[in-house]
Amino acid sequence: MDALDAKYPFFASAREAVASAAVSLPELVATDAPAVDRARERVERALLEGTVASESGAFPGESAYDAQAELLSYPIARILVSLLDSDPAIEKYAAAEAATAVERVRRDLETDDELRSVSTATVGLDDLLAEFDLADAVRPDATAPAGARGAGAAAGGGAGRDPDSYRIDVGPYLRLTSPEWGDSWRLVNRALADGAVRVSREELLAALEAAVEARVAEGLPFELGADEEIAAALESRVADLRRLLSERTYAEPPDVIDRDLFPPCMTNLIHKAENDTELSAAESFALMAFLVGIGMTPDEVVAFCADTSLDAEGIRYQTEFLTDDRGTQYPPPTCETLANYGICHNEGDHMQVAPDPLSYYEKRVAAADDVTDWRADRETDGTGAA
Ligand code: SF4
């Protein structure tokens, strides 16, 4: 097992390394080996944050886990996702594995060629194309004039060649890209010549990300069959993930934003962020899910959290993720889950009042004589959106 397998565990060579390794997954699970905890982290971060990178650091040398635990965490994560048995969870997991992989590829490509030749833990574009049987379908575009990249660029020569321009055969192009990514991806808007489409390097990476995503999603969820023991041993981890992604839905958010009526758990998180303290992944997810749950748009959440440690890009990513249109909106975690994460301290035993922060807030809004809406205040002081 080498560092490259750990970094790209969906590669065929990584699969072979796992198959030929003298380790048994049931045994790893039964002994709660580090790979199991890393697998839980992999799935949890995929579902909550769209990445599978370890929180303990970024590749290379990123993780507190060794290469073996990293690599073996991948098949165990696939088991966890299979046990979750939720299509949206599978989609998000595969998308997160792909996004993380392409992020690593990007970093590898930035590595100086000379360094790459002595480092076995980086991949080049050729390696990646070969991995997905695209070596013959993609080539540098000898006809691309400098500056002419991807969409809309006319075919033809010019002074100098654009080193970041490629041609991909139309079949793989159609298989790996989607017109839903935007008009520029439609074939009619592309420079097409000799059965190949011009793409920039970034566009090629987007197509490769789709290839990784398809490979990761392939075969998920699988039946555990003879591995029922593994399922039993992973039961509590699966239950935690399910709880975290409680699939209850809410008919109507209260549609009023009064900070004074927020539950203590959310107020504490906001104070923490306002004091410039970084929130953990679970804390940030809980807060974002609550704010989205009470009807705030991503723009409003960004404005609401403007003077906190939360950065606008991260907020936007997480809130858009929470409100996407694929039927995967996640309501805020329950009080019980938040207590397990140390976010709820059950002040005044008010866990008795409602099962989750959103219900608690709804009750407080319904009972309040006077409500001050943050949106109205914003418009009055001229900070609201036009
Ligand atoms: S009981 Fe629920 S609503 Fe109240 S602080 Fe805890 S998590 Fe928040």
Side-chain angles (χ1 to χ4, degrees), residues 8-351:
Y8 300 108
F10 49 84
F11 274 15
S13 61
R15 226 173 335 192
E16 280 161 27
V18 172
S20 58
V23 289
S24 120
L25 292 187
E27 214 172 289
L28 287 179
V29 171
T31 56
D32 217 11
V36 181
D37 194 51
R38 174 68 183 110
R40 189 269 317 147
E41 183 192 37
R42 217 175 175 106
V43 178
E44 185 174 313
R45 295 204 79 205
L47 299 178
L48 300 188
E49 297 176 79
T51 178
V52 297
S54 174
E55 247 191 324
S56 56
F59 255 99
E62 79 180 56
S63 157
Y65 299 89
D66 62 19
Q68 173 159 325
E70 270 294 328
L71 174 58
L72 294 171
S73 71
Y74 177 70
I76 298 172
R78 289 175 62 83
I79 295 173
L80 284 171
V81 172
S82 292
L83 291 170
L84 275 177
D85 198 20
S86 144
D87 288 344
I90 290 169
E91 270 179 42
K92 286 196 185 293
Y93 171 68
E97 285 281 0
T100 308
V102 166
E103 203 41 53
R104 288 170 181 169
V105 168
R106 234 180 237 117
R107 241 177 289 148
D108 283 2
L109 296 180
E110 280 163 15
T111 306
D112 188 81
D113 279 348
E114 210 173 307
L115 279 178
R116 196 178 315 139
S117 68
V118 293
S119 166
T120 52
T122 56
V123 290
L125 205 48
D126 289 349
D127 303 314
L128 208 59
L129 293 173
E131 178 69 31
F132 290 100
D133 290 329
L134 291 167
D136 295 332
V138 177
R139 52 214 156 266
D141 187 357
T143 64
R149 295 187 190 169
R161 189 188 90 69
D162 183 346
D164 282 341
S165 193
Y166 296 83
R167 290 233 166 232
I168 174 169
D169 289 347
V170 72
Y173 177 83
L174 291 173
R175 177 166 54 82
L176 295 174
T177 68
S178 165
E180 285 176 18
W181 295 356
D183 280 351
S184 68
W185 291 92
R186 292 182 190 282
L187 208 49
V188 290
N189 296 325
R190 288 272 148 183
L192 175 66
D194 297 329
V197 181
R198 175 178 290 156
V199 288
S200 66
R201 193 172 82 161
E202 268 310 303
E203 289 168 340
L204 182 57
L205 287 177
L208 284 165
E209 186 170 331
V212 176
E213 189 174 335
R215 180 174 289 182
V216 172
E218 204 179 311
L220 290 178
F222 51 80
E223 292 290 330
L224 279 164
D227 289 332
E228 271 171 19
E229 258 175 55
I230 294 195
L234 289 173
E235 207 176 298
S236 69
R237 301 214 185 238
V238 173
D240 285 347
L241 288 167
R242 279 218 182 93
R243 253 201 303 278
L244 196 61
L245 302 174
S246 156
E247 287 185 355
R248 286 169 313 108
T249 52
Y250 293 86
E252 286 292 332
D255 208 30
V256 61
I257 302 157
D258 188 341
R259 206 179 139 151
D260 290 341
L261 301 176
F262 281 9
C265 49
M266 297 301 141
T267 302
N268 291 343
L269 292 179
I270 292 166
H271 283 156
K272 196 170 169 184
E274 281 174 342
N275 288 334
D276 226 23
T277 307
E278 224 170 279
L279 301 188
S280 70
E283 288 172 334
S284 151
F285 174 75
L287 179 59
M288 294 301 120
F290 175 78
L291 296 177
V292 167
I294 62 173
M296 289 174 92
T297 64
D299 281 343
E300 286 175 336
V301 179
V302 168
F304 188 81
C305 298
D307 297 321
T308 69
S309 59
L310 295 154
D311 73 285
E313 202 184 326
I315 292 174
R316 211 169 279 289
Y317 178 83
Q318 213 164 19
T319 49
E320 279 166 7
F321 169 84
L322 284 158
T323 52
D324 75 13
D325 58 7
R326 290 183 295 176
T328 54
Q329 186 175 341
Y330 297 127
T334 61
C335 299
E336 192 191 339
T337 302
L338 293 181
N340 289 339
Y341 276 83
I343 295 171
C344 167
H345 306 291
N346 196 20
E347 288 99 332
D349 200 23
H350 80 267
M351 216 182 257

